[in-house]
Amino acid sequence: MDTDASERRVVVGVDGSQSSYEALRWAVRYAGLVDGTVDAVAVWELPGLYGWSAPAVDMDVDEDEARLKMRQELIDVLGADTAGPVRTHLVHGNPTDVLLRAAEGAEALVVGSRGRGGFARALLGSVSQHVSQHASCPVVIVRCQKQ
């Protein structure tokens, strides 16, 4: 992600979960307070690809369609006016690694407390826990209001 070092960026991880929608709303509000920009980052990887016996998966991910879906999701969550200036990034890779790289030089990294996977009773998801320990900028972990 090419960035201008002088701008105040707020990076937010978006994965389609309610928790990430709350994080997105928080990131937009905060960016407004600090006169910053928002980079919404969605990460995709093919599960099981790194093991000896990967499951049969469709390797052809239509990135253009995924980008359109992501943009529509932002509009649904934020409204068209608010979603307009949010920059979207769809990146292939490990979610933790991608978010940590995206957050280099950022004002803050914002993530939901739990993503789409994991255990319902877990306080933090693995990604939010890992980025909170390794990010080079402040990390905000937003809990979902409706659990």
Side-chain angles (χ1 to χ4, degrees):
M1 282 172 250
D2 295 329
T3 58
D4 178 359
S6 65
E7 71 180 350
R8 300 182 86 170
R9 290 182 312 114
V10 179
V11 175
V12 59
V14 180
D15 68 1
S17 68
Q18 281 302 119
S19 188
S20 77
Y21 295 157
E22 294 291 335
L24 178 61
R25 290 180 189 104
W26 194 98
V28 167
R29 286 191 306 269
Y30 180 71
L33 293 174
V34 298
D35 195 27
T37 61
V38 176
D39 287 334
V41 180
V43 184
W44 64 274
E45 66 179 338
L46 298 173
L49 192 60
Y50 306 108
W52 283 100
S53 59
V57 270
D58 181 7
M59 296 292 286
D60 296 325
V61 174
D62 187 341
E63 288 190 48
D64 290 334
E65 183 178 330
R67 285 183 211 291
L68 288 173
K69 282 179 144 177
M70 182 180 180
R71 177 50 61 185
Q72 185 58 52
E73 197 170 281
L74 293 182
I75 291 169
D76 293 345
V77 172
L78 299 172
D81 292 340
T82 305
V86 175
R87 297 182 297 209
T88 59
H89 305 277
L90 178 66
V91 183
H92 175 261
N94 175 281
T96 301
D97 294 339
V98 169
L99 288 172
L100 289 173
R101 274 195 317 273
E104 289 176 2
E107 183 80 12
L109 170 60
V110 185
V111 293
S113 61
R114 286 200 329 261
R116 296 172 74 183
F119 299 99
R121 283 186 249 147
L123 292 176
L124 288 180
S126 60
V127 172
S128 57
Q129 183 173 15
H130 195 83
V131 298
S132 72
Q133 296 170 347
H134 299 282
S136 60
C137 66
V139 175
V140 177
I141 301 173
V142 180
R143 292 186 56 111
C144 185
Q145 297 297 325
K146 303 170 197 162
Q147 296 280 339

